[in-house]
Amino acid sequence: MTPSPGAPDSPRGGGVSVSAAWSDAPYPVLVVDGDGDVVDANEAARPLFPLAADAGGLPAEDLPLWLADAHRRLRTSGTPEPGAVSGTVAGRTFEAHPSPGEDGDVVWWLVENTDLRLAEDALRTERERTELLARVSGVLLSSLNVDRCTEVTARMAADHLADAAVIVAPAQGRRHPLTYAQVGGTVTQELTQIDPSSVPGLAEALQGFPPVPTRWIDPECLPGWVIPPGFRGPIGSVIVTPLPGHGAPAGVLILLRSSTHRAFTDGEEVFARLFAARAGAALSAAHLYAEQVSITATLLQELLPPRLERVHGVEYAGAYRASQDHERVGGDFYDVHPGTDPSKETFAVLGDVAGKGLEAAVLTGKIRSVLHALLPLSGDHQQVLTLLNEALLTSHHTRYASLVMASVRRRSGLVRLRLTSAGHLPPLIVRGDGRVEAAGTTGQIVGALPRVAARSAEVVLAPGETCLLYTDGITDARGGPLGDQLYGEDRLRRVLGECARMPAEAVVERVQMLAAQWLGGGRHDDMATLAITNPAGGRGALHIVSGPDDATGTGRGRRPGGGGR
């Protein structure tokens, strides 16, 4: 090589002179011979390779591995590799570009790109975290089950943020639900009594206050319940962050990292809070949904038709099918209120509220509640209708209803009924010989006019005879061979004629089944039936009317609509 200006004439590093082309370059430059030894370095390279400056050279085994491998491949191929190779030296990142030197040496130019790599790493980390947050939101919000959301939150926190995670849910009485997860392990849950004050910041986080800095928490002072079962190694770093919810915190997330791993960084602590915010929102939504489901189930329980049996020697059976098969309540209803003893009348009612679905069901529930409150007056049907009409007229509802009431008493083997219709289809009486008669009762609907008038009818049922109360969903069922014919009262009468001396349950089952078959898959209104039967053979055991059947709301645990579904 030609000596550079200002450099001594004697060779350095084994007789190799410093070239003017690179000796004053601002980049670190190394001259590497065929054996892979550094035979010279410029001023910018010597702080990175002090041994090369002190000893006049650097053996091949002391050259950074990534650069030694690149040099060996270059010598083997005989041609420069396309592009540059990169690696770290003294904690800094460089790209190494080769160029041929004299006597077969290779001059390696080291261009630092530490800041670029740091920026790229930071960008990649942020992208990964953004993708993780999006995945967390998608996974958690795909389920509104509280236990499922809690389990997924703990598992994802352990897999992506720490070595282990613990979720502390709000207290249930004196105990807290705890969910543990470890990387690659199973998720376990338990309900135990803990002291939140034993973990710095936990009591405050459970109340929704901001988390305490990680540096304030001494891992060695953590109580035993924080450590997941089977966790190996001492805890080296801890994060305690609340799971914020809608109006109230959904719990607290505790992240644990083993002492064999690096401590949580400030950036990881901030990201843990972002993760907790997403998880807390999902958990809060799941809790809210569970609460709403519970409230809905409680309210629905009161709207479902009651489960009927025999009362004071009289058989009662009912069946209900909503206009939409996925619904359980609607605008049709029936109720049976037993007398306090066999000498007292049992009050039965069946009705039809204008409309369908939940809005009609709400008014149905109100009518049933008003009628229940008017039971002491049930002996006077006209007074009951008048008071019910006034109650509906003063409510915010604009719907009306039709109904038929029956006061029932069994004496000397006969069942005596007093029937009153308020704008409803007259009850049908099935005699023991198969004849079907309509009860002679008429009246006006309730909830529409200032006054309501009705005419009652007295009916006596001999053993084996039945009185059927039904809504127009049965007679107006449209279907048949052509799909556009109404089921009609004539067909209903013929069916009932075949039901002579049958039990009440069998009567409603057959009516509902044949009406459903007539419909096929067509649309229909709510359909309700209530049969009152004087048992054949004089059977008269005393039973009590049970509460609403939370499974079906039908007479004997049957599905609404009977066997025709």
Side-chain angles (χ1 to χ4, degrees):
M1 290 188 178
T2 304
S4 61
D9 293 339
S10 59
R12 299 185 312 170
V16 179
S17 300
V18 180
S19 171
W22 53 263
S23 61
D24 296 327
Y27 307 113
V29 179
L30 298 177
V31 179
V32 185
D33 64 13
D35 296 326
D37 298 328
V38 177
V39 295
D40 209 344
N42 69 350
E43 292 294 334
R46 290 171 186 173
L48 298 175
F49 304 94
L51 291 178
D54 296 340
L58 190 68
E61 57 269 19
D62 292 332
L63 197 66
L65 183 60
W66 61 273
L67 187 56
D69 289 342
H71 183 76
R72 184 168 53 256
R73 292 194 300 271
L74 180 62
R75 297 291 298 179
T76 301
S77 63
T79 57
E81 293 185 350
V85 294
S86 61
T88 59
V89 179
R92 297 156 61 183
T93 306
F94 293 88
E95 286 186 349
H97 301 264
S99 61
E102 298 178 356
D103 301 325
D105 297 333
V106 177
V107 180
W108 287 95
W109 300 71
L110 305 183
V111 181
E112 185 174 4
N113 61 353
T114 302
D115 292 340
L116 177 61
R117 285 300 176 91
L118 290 176
E120 290 176 346
D121 291 344
L123 179 60
R124 181 171 59 255
T125 299
E126 289 303 317
R127 285 176 175 172
E128 292 173 352
R129 290 176 174 178
T130 301
E131 292 174 359
L132 175 59
L133 290 177
R135 189 161 68 252
V136 167
S137 298
V139 172
L140 293 179
L141 293 176
S142 65
S143 172
L144 290 175
N145 180 278
V146 176
D147 291 338
R148 169 65 177 165
C149 282
T150 304
E151 178 182 338
V152 171
T153 298
R155 179 180 291 113
M156 296 187 75
D159 290 344
H160 299 284
L161 304 181
D163 297 325
V166 184
I167 293 179
V168 183
Q172 298 179 3
R174 295 185 176 182
R175 297 188 293 178
H176 288 263
L178 304 178
T179 303
Y180 298 97
Q182 300 182 57
V183 176
T186 59
V187 177
T188 59
Q189 295 179 319
E190 63 180 56
L191 185 65
T192 186
Q193 188 171 351
I194 65 171
D195 179 13
S197 63
S198 61
V199 179
L202 176 58
E204 294 79 6
L206 283 170
Q207 299 178 46
F209 290 102
V212 300
T214 298
R215 61 181 179 275
W216 291 8
I217 305 175
D218 184 359
E220 296 181 357
C221 297
L222 292 177
W225 63 263
V226 176
I227 313 302
F231 186 81
R232 296 182 179 181
I235 303 299
S237 186
V238 184
I239 290 178
V240 177
T241 184
L243 295 166
H246 302 292
V252 174
L253 174 64
I254 302 177
L255 299 176
L256 307 173
R257 183 167 285 176
S258 172
S259 59
T260 58
H261 297 163
R262 64 178 176 81
F264 290 111
T265 65
D266 292 342
E268 289 174 327
E269 189 172 356
V270 171
F271 180 69
R273 297 178 189 177
L274 294 175
F275 176 93
R278 299 288 181 95
L283 283 170
S284 182
H287 279 289
L288 182 60
Y289 176 76
E291 182 179 357
Q292 291 176 340
V293 167
S294 177
I295 294 173
T296 301
T298 301
L299 295 176
L300 185 62
Q301 183 78 5
E302 296 300 318
L303 295 177
L304 289 172
R307 186 173 184 270
L308 306 180
E309 293 183 354
R310 191 179 302 181
V311 179
H312 302 323
V314 181
E315 287 184 355
Y316 298 87
Y320 173 74
R321 181 179 180 182
S323 59
Q324 299 293 328
D325 289 344
H326 63 275
E327 295 178 347
R328 301 174 64 190
V329 295
D332 289 4
F333 67 95
Y334 58 81
D335 267 319
V336 174
H337 303 280
T340 55
D341 59 66
S343 66
K344 301 295 191 297
E345 290 182 330
T346 292
F347 183 69
V349 60
L350 176 141
D352 183 0
V353 171
K356 303 176 184 179
L358 184 58
E359 291 185 3
V362 171
L363 184 55
T364 292
K366 181 171 184 177
I367 293 176
R368 293 175 66 188
S369 298
V370 171
L371 289 174
H372 189 273
L374 295 176
L375 283 179
L377 306 176
S378 60
D380 187 343
H381 289 186
Q382 180 60 53
Q383 187 176 10
V384 170
L385 289 177
T386 299
L387 294 175
L388 176 60
N389 187 62
E390 291 176 356
L392 294 181
L393 289 176
T394 56
S395 72
H396 65 278
H397 295 283
T398 58
R399 298 175 185 268
Y400 58 87
S402 66
L403 56 89
V404 58
M405 298 180 293
S407 292
V408 187
R409 180 185 294 154
R410 189 175 190 272
R411 284 184 179 177
S412 303
L414 299 177
V415 174
R416 300 183 182 276
L417 297 91
R418 187 170 69 259
L419 301 168
T420 303
S421 173
H424 201 83
L425 298 171
L428 296 178
I429 313 302
V430 185
R431 297 301 182 184
D433 58 3
R435 289 180 296 112
V436 178
E437 306 170 356
T441 174
T442 58
Q444 298 168 323
I445 59 176
V446 292
L449 302 174
R451 292 179 179 81
V452 58
R455 179 167 60 89
S456 300
E458 300 283 342
V459 173
V460 177
L461 300 180
E465 296 183 341
T466 295
C467 173
L468 181 72
L469 282 59
Y470 61 96
T471 60
D472 59 5
I474 299 292
T475 53
D476 290 350
R478 188 177 296 275
L482 301 179
D484 60 350
Q485 293 177 285
L486 296 180
Y487 190 69
E489 185 176 335
D490 291 340
R491 287 187 179 86
L492 178 59
R493 284 173 176 260
R494 287 199 296 271
V495 169
L496 290 176
E498 301 169 357
C499 296
R501 309 188 68 80
M502 291 176 61
E505 182 181 353
V507 174
V508 297
E509 281 280 7
R510 182 161 180 79
V511 170
Q512 289 275 4
M513 179 185 69
L514 293 179
Q517 290 177 348
W518 183 262
L519 282 168
R523 300 175 61 183
H524 60 89
D525 198 356
D526 298 330
M527 298 190 298
T529 50
L530 174 62
I532 304 171
T533 300
N534 186 1
R539 295 174 295 170
L542 176 63
H543 292 263
I544 302 298
V545 177
S546 67
D549 183 344
D550 58 357
T552 63
T554 57
R556 290 265 186 170
R558 302 182 305 276
R559 293 186 307 172
R565 285 208 175 194

